Amino acid sequence: MKNVLTIAGSDSSGGAGIQADLKTFSAHGVFGMSVITAVTAQNTQGVFAVQDIDPDIIAKQIDAIFQDIEVDAVKIGMVSQIPTIKIIAEKLKTYAPNKIVVDPVMVSKSGFHLLNPDAEKTLMEELLPLATVVTPNIPEAEVMTKLSIHTIEEMKEAAKAIYQMGAKNVLIKGGHHLEKDSTDILYTGEKFIPFTSPRIETKNTHGTGCTLSSAIASNLGRGLNVEQAIGEAKKYITIAIEHSLAIGKGVGPTHHFYSLYKKAGLLEE
């Protein structure tokens, strides 16, 4: 059994954050562990409040995991405060896991700022140099690079700029494009690799970024290389979105267990 740790915020509605990460880990056959950085009050309609966890408790959660259990990969999601980012970076430098996926969560789909603007620079300086893969979407990449991104070529330029910040591999997600297909661009420092899938017409995409980054971390933890890990994660999230769930009054979640439920005969035809 491979063990994968998520360091992220809690989503009370279960579609994103820690809850989505643990579901994704289970769907990939790895043992999931969590360090909670914040508790949010949210549902499919938006984020209504955030309670940040004290950095000392975050540090103790990380210590408790690493001092007892071998960690094969780490995924970092919502980290909203400068002290939170600094203690996570300090602890990861101490324990030195060799596979880290950083999902730079900045703004929720409803427009709620999950990363304080004054902490953006700290995230880029402290966590990006530790990242095996960093997975910004287009709006996040625009914040990180101060570039305007509308085309594949502009995605590539942004990926180069983020690579210069220290990440070993940069995956810019193309879900915010309006083209027929959804293309993500991986930059390895040497080459660009596109990952393209059909665009699925659904409003129910809550937690897609969390889920994709957790799938990548799961695959890295299982021993796949970066390109393989992203390719398999892209297939997984595409199926999860294709069979997303119309839960709640707003943006519903993806279906983390569709393939497993289908194999188990739990789905009605």
Side-chain angles (χ1 to χ4, degrees):
M1 177 66 71
K2 299 298 184 181
N3 310 311
V4 183
L5 170 66
T6 171
I7 303 174
S10 168
D11 170 10
S12 50
S13 70
I18 289 284
Q19 289 82 349
D21 297 341
L22 293 175
K23 291 174 186 178
T24 302
F25 295 163
S26 295
H28 283 77
V30 300
F31 183 75
M33 305 168 291
S34 63
V35 168
I36 298 176
T37 61
V39 175
T40 70
Q42 67 174 292
N43 55 29
T44 64
Q45 299 181 83
V47 179
F48 303 99
V50 174
Q51 175 74 61
D52 290 299
I53 302 298
D54 187 278
D56 184 58
I57 297 298
I58 293 172
K60 285 183 168 59
Q61 290 180 79
I62 296 172
D63 287 338
I65 297 297
F66 278 94
Q67 291 174 8
D68 181 46
I69 302 170
E70 182 176 350
V71 178
D72 296 292
V74 176
K75 173 261 173 79
I76 303 173
M78 177 186 172
V79 287
S80 60
Q81 306 283 343
I82 290 174
T84 297
I85 295 167
K86 287 188 172 181
I87 196 64
I88 291 169
E90 177 187 323
K91 289 297 181 181
L92 291 181
K93 288 173 185 175
T94 298
Y95 293 112
N98 59 17
K99 294 170 183 175
I100 299 174
V101 178
V102 175
D103 185 23
V105 178
M106 293 183 176
V107 182
S108 72
K109 282 185 173 64
S110 61
F112 193 100
H113 282 264
L114 299 171
L115 174 66
N116 286 352
D118 62 351
E120 290 167 0
K121 182 180 179 184
T122 305
L123 184 148
M124 290 185 280
E125 290 179 347
E126 296 286 345
L127 295 183
L128 260 58
L130 304 178
T132 308
V133 186
V134 61
T135 63
N137 60 29
I138 287 174
E140 290 160 351
E142 288 181 330
V143 170
M144 295 169 76
T145 63
K146 304 297 188 289
L147 299 173
S148 180
I149 305 171
H150 301 285
T151 66
I152 295 294
E153 287 306 311
E154 288 171 344
M155 289 173 70
K156 291 180 177 179
E157 288 304 310
K160 282 184 179 179
I162 295 171
Y163 179 81
Q164 293 298 321
M165 299 174 190
K168 297 177 183 67
N169 297 274
V170 180
L171 180 72
I172 297 191
K173 299 172 291 189
H176 287 76
H177 269 174
L178 298 177
E179 287 106 345
K180 180 180 177 182
D181 294 326
S182 173
T183 298
D184 304 340
I185 297 293
L186 170 66
Y187 182 56
T188 67
E190 297 179 352
K191 60 182 178 178
F192 294 100
I193 303 169
F195 297 88
T196 300
S197 62
R199 186 172 297 279
I200 298 161
E201 294 302 323
T202 178
K203 69 171 184 174
N204 299 316
T205 57
H206 181 54
T208 51
C210 304
T211 299
L212 178 65
S213 57
S214 293
I216 295 169
S218 298
N219 291 331
L220 290 173
R222 289 169 49 224
L224 277 64
N225 65 36
V226 169
E227 185 175 348
Q228 291 170 333
I230 293 171
E232 291 302 309
K234 181 77 169 175
K235 293 176 188 175
Y236 172 76
I237 191 62
T238 300
I239 292 171
I241 295 172
E242 186 177 3
H243 301 281
S244 58
L245 303 169
I247 290 173
K249 300 173 183 177
V251 178
T254 65
H255 197 324
H256 295 93
F257 297 114
Y258 176 80
S259 295
L260 293 177
Y261 284 12
K262 186 176 181 180
K263 288 179 182 178
L266 298 175
L267 299 173
E268 294 181 5
E269 295 297 330

